């Protein structure tokens, strides 16, 4: 967590957010915190820099897909075999040790995001600038700090709680209990909600920045972890009835480039293919079929394929099958896939592949979808069910199924019949098939709901709910940090 300088990319600032996608260029120099934070442009650039740490950087940094998808039953670790990115395979089979590089990257990158957010929250209040803009910048920083802490508490459980930039001699902070971390996330999300704009009030140039709905969704997810069912249902219903979001008419189009920032999008991480800028999504390359231009690491599992009901249009929007003809005319060869399937969510047509547009292979254009209305509806359904309101839960789940039935050009009205009264198993089923491989949340949901041990081979209760604390961090702390049980 020793970040003495804020690393600032060359960011274009138009309105609040600048261009459609946030730039993340390699800086030519470091700018000391003592000579920065003087103008409103400085404030905006600083909070923009914190957004960079949300990017899924796969083997180059924090990799939400490796933890959320591959560690779950939704995907296998593909690539060129077990030894190709073997550290991910260790995560998959629950043999990762404290020196695992992916574990270290997750710790490092999320704490760096927290440090950058803390700098904004400490330095920006003193800047003479427009009050509304200042409030929004601070609200974004509070949302981001809460988001990064949610990543950490889900992965590691007990982590240091740091709400101000650490100075020399202050780095060794004891771990706080998960309950304290969740309480801080609640506080940050609630504060952010009061100063962030509604989606309908957000400028087009600011798409990809946090809104009130993003802060609400963060708080809702936190309530789900805390099992605060009544509060979760109430908040979920507020988001649903806010008039800011509606289900997209065709679920199969959400994870296409044309589906970015659609009517049900609550929060997305911006990515773009701008040659030479390094602002894209490595997941396009990471997950693209191996026999085309990609590495094919996150491959759909047989378990996931079997989870879909017959005729469900969401299957073909999630999984690519062998010899399937894709929209660009490409005929898929899945013989090199470990499972015989490829990931559709991050597939690109030939004219969308970065290298065909003059960009680098790792500069994929696909946005990471973090929060969408469908997931909010399903969390609200679960909370309602747990609160004894099965009728409300049933209505919400049936809306999701009705939308799926009408998607992908389907005309068979016999598929996906409405539930009479849903069960928890029904709700969990819809959660899985609705967002699989797109929101990188399956492993965490299995842990949150206590189902991980029953479906994940090698998972040990009391140990594998969390990954190990990085060994280097324990050593640097002089024993202040203690290891998670079982590692």
């Amino acid at each position: 967590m020793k970040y003495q300088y804020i690393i600032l990319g060359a960011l274009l600032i138009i309105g609040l957010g600048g261009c459609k996608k946030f730039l993340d260029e390699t800086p030519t120099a470091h700018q000391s915190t003592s000579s920065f934070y003087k103008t409103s442009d400085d404030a905006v650039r600083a909070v923009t820099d914190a957004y960079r740490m949300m990017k899924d950087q796969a083997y180059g940094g924090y990799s939400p897909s490796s933890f959320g998808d591959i560690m779950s039953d939704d995907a296998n670790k593909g690539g060129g075999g077990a030894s190709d990115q073997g550290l991910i395979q260790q995560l998959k089979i629950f043999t990762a040790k404290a020196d695992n590089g992916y574990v270290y990257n997750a710790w490092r990158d999320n704490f760096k995001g927290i440090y950058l957010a803390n700098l904004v929250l400490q330095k920006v209040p003193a800047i003479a600038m427009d009050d509304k803009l200042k409030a929004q910048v601070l609200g974004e920083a509070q949302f981001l700090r809460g988001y990064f802490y949610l990543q950490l508490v889900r992965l590691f459980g007990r982590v240091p709680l740091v709400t101000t930039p650490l100075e020399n001699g202050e780095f060794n902070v004891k771990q706080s209990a998960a309950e304290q971390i969740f309480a801080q996330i609640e506080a940050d999300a609630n504060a952010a909600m009061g100063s962030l704009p509604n989606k309908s009030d957000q400028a087009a140039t600011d798409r990809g920045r946090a809104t009130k709905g993003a802060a609400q969704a963060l708080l809702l997810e936190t309530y789900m972890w805390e099992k605060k069912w009544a509060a979760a249902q109430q908040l979920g219903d507020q988001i649903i009835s806010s008039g800011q979001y509606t289900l997209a008419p065709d679920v199969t189009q959400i994870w296409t480039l044309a589906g970015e920032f659609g009517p049900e999008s609550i929060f997305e991480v911006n990515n773009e293919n701008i040659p030479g800028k390094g602002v894209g999504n490595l997941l396009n390359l990471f997950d693209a079929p191996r026999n085309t231009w990609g590495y094919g690491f996150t491959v759909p599992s047989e378990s996931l394929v079997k989870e879909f009901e017959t005729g469900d249009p969401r299957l073909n929007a999630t999984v690519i099958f062998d010899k399937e003809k894709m929209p660009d005319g490409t005929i898929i060869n899945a013989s090199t896939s470990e499972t015989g399937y490829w990931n559709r969510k991050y597939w690109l047509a030939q004219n969308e592949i970065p290298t065909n547009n003059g960009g680098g292979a790792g500069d994929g254009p696909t946005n990471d979808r973090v929060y969408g209305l469908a997931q909010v509806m399903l969390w609200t359904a679960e909370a309602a069910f747990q609160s004894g309101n099965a009728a409300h839960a049933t209505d919400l789940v049936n809306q999701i199924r009705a939308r799926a039935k009408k998607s992908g050009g389907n005309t068979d009205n016999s598929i996906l019949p409405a539930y009479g009264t849903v069960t928890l198993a029904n709700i969990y089923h819809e959660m899985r098939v609705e967002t699989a491989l797109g929101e990188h949340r399956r492993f965490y949901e299995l842990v949150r709901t206590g189902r991980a041990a029953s479906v994940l081979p090698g998972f040990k209760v009391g140990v594998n709910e969390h990954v190990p604390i990085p060994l280097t961090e324990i050593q640097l702390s002089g024993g202040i940090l203690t290891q998670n049980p079982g590692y």
Side-chain angles (χ1 to χ4, degrees):
M1 300 190 299
K2 301 182 180 182
Y3 300 107
Q4 298 298 302
Y5 299 93
I6 184 170
I7 301 171
L8 296 169
L11 303 171
L12 299 177
I13 302 174
I14 303 172
L16 174 62
C19 60
K20 174 178 177 288
K21 306 285 185 174
F22 303 154
L23 300 190
D24 177 17
E25 299 181 22
T26 302
T28 56
H30 288 178
Q31 192 161 0
S32 170
T33 58
S34 64
S35 62
F36 196 60
Y37 301 102
K38 303 297 185 184
T39 69
S40 60
D41 280 0
D42 291 344
V44 173
R45 291 175 64 198
V47 76
T48 299
D49 204 46
Y51 278 97
R52 293 188 304 110
M53 305 315 300
M54 303 184 82
K55 289 179 58 176
D56 188 324
Q57 302 173 65
Y59 43 78
Y62 175 45
S63 179
S65 59
S66 295
F67 295 101
D69 298 325
I70 297 176
M71 278 183 68
S72 79
D73 54 345
D74 275 359
N76 287 26
K77 199 283 296 176
S83 63
D84 189 2
Q85 297 299 316
L87 295 179
I88 306 177
Q89 184 66 9
Q90 292 175 13
L91 293 171
K92 174 67 178 177
I93 61 176
F94 301 105
T95 61
K97 295 180 173 59
D99 61 354
N100 183 285
Y102 280 78
V103 168
Y104 171 75
N105 290 346
W107 179 281
R108 176 200 65 194
D109 288 1
N110 282 293
F111 268 117
K112 184 174 182 180
I114 289 166
Y115 173 77
L116 295 173
N118 280 339
L119 277 174
V120 173
L121 293 168
Q122 181 190 69
K123 302 292 187 180
V124 168
I127 297 176
M129 58 186 291
D130 177 78
D131 288 342
K132 183 177 180 181
L133 178 58
K134 179 186 288 188
Q136 184 170 343
V137 167
L138 294 173
E140 289 184 32
Q142 287 165 318
F143 166 79
L144 289 168
R145 184 170 65 183
Y147 170 88
F148 292 126
Y149 261 121
L150 181 61
Q151 310 309 302
L152 288 167
V153 73
R154 293 187 312 180
L155 274 174
F156 297 100
R158 300 172 305 113
V159 296
L161 180 57
V162 182
T163 57
T164 59
L166 298 179
E167 304 296 337
N168 284 329
E170 298 178 347
F171 298 121
N172 294 331
V173 178
K174 292 182 179 180
Q175 291 142 295
S176 293
E179 292 77 12
Q180 294 172 282
I181 305 300
F182 283 126
Q184 181 61 50
I185 299 170
E186 281 193 33
D188 280 335
N190 275 304
M193 283 162 50
S195 56
L196 293 176
N198 286 317
K199 179 180 181 179
S200 58
D201 297 324
Q202 187 180 52
T205 52
D206 288 342
R207 290 193 308 180
R209 290 187 177 271
T211 62
K212 177 180 178 180
Q216 289 175 312
L218 173 65
L219 181 58
L220 172 59
E221 185 172 9
T222 304
Y223 283 158
M224 297 302 292
W225 277 93
E226 297 175 296
K227 294 180 170 53
K228 294 183 176 180
W229 305 124
Q233 182 189 334
Q234 181 180 30
L235 179 58
D237 284 335
Q238 288 177 8
I239 299 171
I240 294 165
S241 63
S242 67
Q244 297 294 308
Y245 312 100
T246 58
L247 290 177
D250 189 340
V251 67
T252 68
Q253 297 302 304
I254 291 176
W255 276 272
T256 66
L257 296 187
E260 293 180 351
F261 299 117
E264 68 182 86
S265 172
I266 297 176
F267 186 76
E268 300 182 18
V269 177
N270 275 333
N271 294 291
E272 184 62 287
N273 171 29
I274 304 176
K277 300 299 183 181
V279 296
N281 190 345
L282 191 59
L283 267 189
N284 286 123
L285 173 67
F286 194 72
D287 287 354
R290 194 168 179 83
N291 59 307
T292 57
W293 67 287
Y295 298 153
F297 276 110
T298 309
V299 291
S301 67
E302 187 68 27
S303 168
L304 175 61
V305 172
K306 290 180 177 178
E307 182 77 16
F308 289 88
E309 297 163 67
T310 301
D312 190 338
R314 292 172 291 191
L315 174 59
N316 286 332
T318 306
V319 176
I320 301 174
F321 294 83
D322 191 33
K323 297 182 173 56
E324 181 176 349
K325 185 176 181 179
M326 304 303 288
D328 66 350
T330 301
I331 304 299
I332 293 297
N333 176 4
S335 63
T336 56
S337 165
E338 177 180 337
T339 63
Y341 310 107
W342 296 120
N343 184 351
R344 180 66 181 264
K345 294 288 175 71
Y346 286 89
W347 176 85
L348 294 175
Q350 289 292 319
N351 66 345
E352 297 167 345
I353 295 174
T355 52
N356 289 344
N357 295 325
D363 279 335
T366 300
N367 284 357
D368 284 318
R369 277 65 163 177
V370 178
Y371 291 119
L373 180 61
Q375 181 63 70
V376 164
M377 291 174 67
L378 291 168
W379 275 330
T380 306
E382 180 186 352
F385 186 91
Q386 297 282 14
S387 298
N389 194 345
H392 186 36
T394 302
D395 175 62
L396 291 170
V397 174
N398 281 338
Q399 289 182 53
I400 299 295
R401 287 174 69 82
R403 188 268 297 271
K405 177 185 293 189
K406 299 173 184 176
S407 295
N410 176 64
T411 58
D412 183 358
N413 288 327
S414 68
I415 69 167
L416 303 177
Y419 292 118
T421 300
V422 295
T423 64
L424 267 180
N426 297 147
I427 297 171
Y428 294 153
H429 163 78
E430 293 299 325
M431 283 186 182
R432 187 180 187 189
V433 299
E434 182 70 22
T435 62
L437 308 183
E439 295 187 6
H440 319 308
R441 198 174 274 118
R442 172 67 175 175
F443 172 74
Y444 305 112
E445 290 294 271
L446 289 174
V447 171
R448 179 181 68 79
T449 57
R451 295 175 291 148
S454 65
V455 299
L456 301 179
F459 185 98
K460 296 183 288 293
V461 174
V463 176
N464 297 126
E465 290 86 355
H466 302 118
V467 297
I469 306 296
L471 177 62
T472 53
E473 296 298 317
I474 293 177
Q475 292 172 333
L476 287 171
S477 77
I480 296 297
L481 299 181
T482 59
Q483 188 54 269
N484 281 332
Y487 292 103

